[in-house]
Amino acid sequence: MIDHDNLEEYSDPIHYDLEFGGETKKYQFYLDSAKEMPGTVLELACGTGLVTLPLAEAGIAIVGVDIAEPMLAYARVKGQGLPAHFIQADARTFQSDQRFSLIYLTGNAFQAFLSDEDQLALLRTVHQHLQPGGRFIFETRNPAATDLSDEEESPWSTFTDQDGQLVQVSGSQTYDASRSIMHWVTYRTWPHKRTISRIACRFTDHDALIELLTSNGFEIQHQYADWDRTPFVPSSDLMIMVCAKAES
């Protein structure tokens, strides 16, 4: 089951964009991937459309699905007049008669699926909605290259809010090794207030990820370490998986 705490991070879409937007290399990666697979694209866990909308602006028909309505509402405002359609749904149970040439998740959204059952439900959704030969892409942090130790609050980053104020971002982490789940607590400090949100993310190691994909109807085409398509090695921070729907 997806941890409801995870939704705390997605209640303020305007500041979410200001904090996490601007990953132009990632946007270009998915745009190039979409151009390689002509047809309609599906983004699961699309949020405010940070990646959805650059594809739509390039003329690619795309459907964005997310469970958090505040994020979708902002995506719809930003996407007016573009070939993007946004649907509120759970990626584990999403149903559509449409079939897609490319389905992707980004922002490490794969890690929000916190159990074997959740991961399998997600992969069933993807497999069901891909066209024959369609492509599935997602990225996830590599546990072998991640500090999974418990840490007290420490500074993480900063961003500038919609009023031009500097926001200090800090956080702590606690790892549940029995479930391979990291619990992060994020603190955002404005000049006049301080907010707290929690998020849980599951870490799946590389070998288990390959087994999970290949046993659920996917063929691994490429494995990258970054958005420049550097080949993945065991010490890479990121695992970007490019898969094809296997022929039955």
Side-chain angles (χ1 to χ4, degrees):
M1 182 176 181
I2 293 177
D3 194 322
H4 288 291
D5 283 350
N6 282 359
L7 298 181
E8 292 181 355
E9 272 289 279
Y10 309 119
S11 61
D12 186 352
I14 293 175
H15 286 127
Y16 180 91
D17 276 14
L18 291 171
E19 184 173 354
F20 296 109
E23 294 185 86
T24 54
K25 286 188 176 182
K26 178 167 75 173
Y27 307 158
Q28 189 63 49
F29 177 94
Y30 281 107
L31 176 57
D32 292 343
S33 298
K35 288 178 178 178
E36 293 170 2
M37 304 295 295
T40 303
V41 174
L42 172 65
E43 180 179 359
L44 297 171
C46 68
T48 63
L50 284 172
V51 184
T52 326
L53 295 177
L55 272 61
E57 288 166 357
I60 292 168
I62 187 165
V63 174
V65 169
D66 201 278
I67 199 169
E69 180 55 36
M71 304 286 274
L72 288 174
Y74 191 43
R76 293 186 186 105
V77 169
K78 296 191 298 177
Q80 290 181 21
L82 295 174
H85 178 55
F86 294 99
I87 299 171
Q88 184 182 25
D90 187 326
R92 297 167 299 178
T93 56
F94 172 68
Q95 291 286 334
S96 172
D97 293 333
Q98 195 166 6
R99 297 296 178 263
F100 301 91
S101 59
L102 168 66
I103 298 176
Y104 70 90
L105 298 89
T106 190
N108 297 308
F110 182 81
Q111 293 185 252
F113 297 85
L114 301 180
S115 68
D116 292 347
E117 293 77 15
D118 288 341
Q119 289 182 343
L120 290 172
L122 168 68
L123 293 181
R124 283 194 296 269
T125 294
V126 173
H127 197 272
Q128 176 186 344
H129 290 88
L130 269 180
Q131 296 174 356
R135 189 171 289 169
F136 173 42
I137 306 177
F138 67 97
E139 86 272 11
T140 182
R141 301 175 185 89
N142 179 12
T146 302
D147 180 3
L148 300 176
S149 61
D150 293 354
E151 294 184 359
E152 298 296 325
E153 182 183 354
S154 61
W156 281 357
S157 63
T158 63
F159 70 94
T160 302
D161 76 359
Q162 61 182 331
D163 298 319
Q165 300 180 106
L166 187 67
V167 182
Q168 304 284 343
V169 183
S170 58
S172 62
Q173 65 181 45
T174 305
Y175 188 60
D176 180 350
S178 66
R179 299 172 63 206
S180 302
I181 292 176
M182 179 67 78
H183 295 273
W184 279 295
V185 181
T186 305
Y187 305 91
R188 294 178 176 90
T189 304
W190 276 261
H192 59 286
K193 68 176 181 179
R194 178 174 164 94
T195 63
I196 301 174
S197 67
R198 289 160 286 272
I199 193 167
C201 289
R202 187 183 194 193
F203 281 80
T204 305
D205 69 41
H206 180 260
D207 290 347
L209 193 60
I210 296 298
E211 172 62 24
L212 179 67
L213 292 165
T214 55
S215 63
N216 283 279
F218 298 96
E219 297 175 351
I220 313 300
Q221 293 185 320
H222 304 286
Q223 300 177 60
Y224 299 122
D226 56 38
W227 305 117
D228 293 325
R229 300 179 188 259
T230 302
F232 172 81
V233 296
S235 61
S236 300
D237 293 337
L238 201 62
M239 300 183 285
I240 303 173
M241 311 301 296
V242 180
C243 314
K245 183 175 181 177
E247 296 184 6
S248 55

